[in-house]
Amino acid sequence: KAGVTQTPRYLIKTRGQQVTLSCSPISGHRSVSWYQQTPGQGLQFLFEYFSETQRNKGNFPGRFSGRQFSNSRSEMNVSTLELGDSALYLCASSLALAGGSEQFFGPGTRLTVL
Amino acid sequence: AQSVTQLGSHVSVSEGALVLLRCNYSSSVPPYLFWYVQYPNQGLQLLLKYTSAATLVKGINGFEAEFKKSETSFHLTKPSAHMSDAAEYFCAVTSASGGSYIPTFGRGTSLIVHP
């Protein structure tokens, strides 16, 4: 069974631009969660989608948004990029809601904001 | 808000020695507890999960963790370290907060294994 895939793997943007990251979960998984990983803050939860509905949201500004499609694929969008948005963005999928389930992580998208 | 503390950002052991990675959490509600491992340039992989069935949880690659409610701890151990165990380890906790189950991760502990 194929694992979680994320595209692109690397991205370089400039301040003020917007970016869209994509995540394809494991087949059959209905939950997709997004995390931001930085050396200073560690892994921080962004949001979780389940059956196309946002079920949980972390403490991030409204510039960070996401959506999930009927095939469970998910996208994350960051608008008006700031230098501090430079991070590894991880996507994770699970059969049920992430809180009590094993999550399967993708390799991440490394975003650099110049 | 719940929090997870991993004591020691780096732990160094010799090959064959005991591995002990510490994790303490703050939660008044019985939690879900996880340990994940991250190898360079890869995503996280589940090592083990506490499901309340037993306080001693066995995971993959010879790792195990013991849930101690009185100490709010979930330390990860392995009797004998291998070079291949060198990686970043994350403890994660989920407990209900206002009806939401949001995983909270510790900052991670980098395990260094010396030959």
Side-chain angles (χ1 to χ4, degrees), chain B residues 49-68:
Chain B
K49 170 187 172 184
Y50 170 71
T51 61
S52 77
T55 57
L56 184 63
V57 183
K58 294 190 183 299
I60 62 171
N61 301 339
F63 284 94
E64 61 182 35
E66 185 174 7
F67 171 62
K68 292 187 176 180

Side-chain angles (χ1 to χ4, degrees), chain A residues 9 35 37 40-43 45 56-57 88 90 98-103 105-107, chain B residues 32 34 36 38 41-46 49 90 94 99-103 105-107:
Chain A
R9 290 292 310 278
Y35 294 86
Q37 186 178 21
Q41 298 296 321
L43 266 160
F45 175 83
N56 292 298
K57 189 177 189 304
L88 181 67
L90 292 167
S101 305
E102 175 182 3
Q103 294 183 82
F105 284 79
Chain B
Y32 295 102
F34 307 83
Y36 284 88
Q38 185 178 31
N41 299 316
Q42 295 185 28
L44 280 70
Q45 176 186 3
L46 182 71
K49 170 187 172 184
F90 294 90
T94 303
S100 294
Y101 283 87
I102 296 176
F105 283 77
R107 291 291 184 92

Side-chain angles (χ1 to χ4, degrees), chain B:
Chain B
Q2 64 190 10
S3 65
V4 180
T5 302
Q6 291 185 238
L7 190 62
S9 59
H10 294 82
V11 170
S12 182
V13 301
S14 298
E15 192 173 19
L18 171 72
V19 175
L20 171 60
L21 305 182
R22 301 177 188 274
C23 173
N24 288 88
Y25 64 91
S26 67
S27 173
S28 59
V29 178
Y32 295 102
L33 295 157
F34 307 83
W35 274 100
Y36 284 88
V37 61
Q38 185 178 31
Y39 297 100
N41 299 316
Q42 295 185 28
L44 280 70
Q45 176 186 3
L46 182 71
L47 276 175
L48 49 81
K49 170 187 172 184
Y50 170 71
T51 61
S52 77
T55 57
L56 184 63
V57 183
K58 294 190 183 299
I60 62 171
N61 301 339
F63 284 94
E64 61 182 35
E66 185 174 7
F67 171 62
K68 292 187 176 180
K69 185 178 178 180
S70 61
E71 298 177 7
T72 59
S73 70
F74 191 56
H75 301 332
L76 181 71
T77 60
K78 181 174 180 177
S80 177
H82 292 183
M83 296 296 291
S84 60
D85 294 327
E88 190 87 13
Y89 291 81
F90 294 90
C91 177
V93 177
T94 303
S95 64
S97 173
S100 294
Y101 283 87
I102 296 176
T104 300
F105 283 77
R107 291 291 184 92
T109 297
S110 178
L111 177 64
I112 302 162
V113 182
H114 296 287

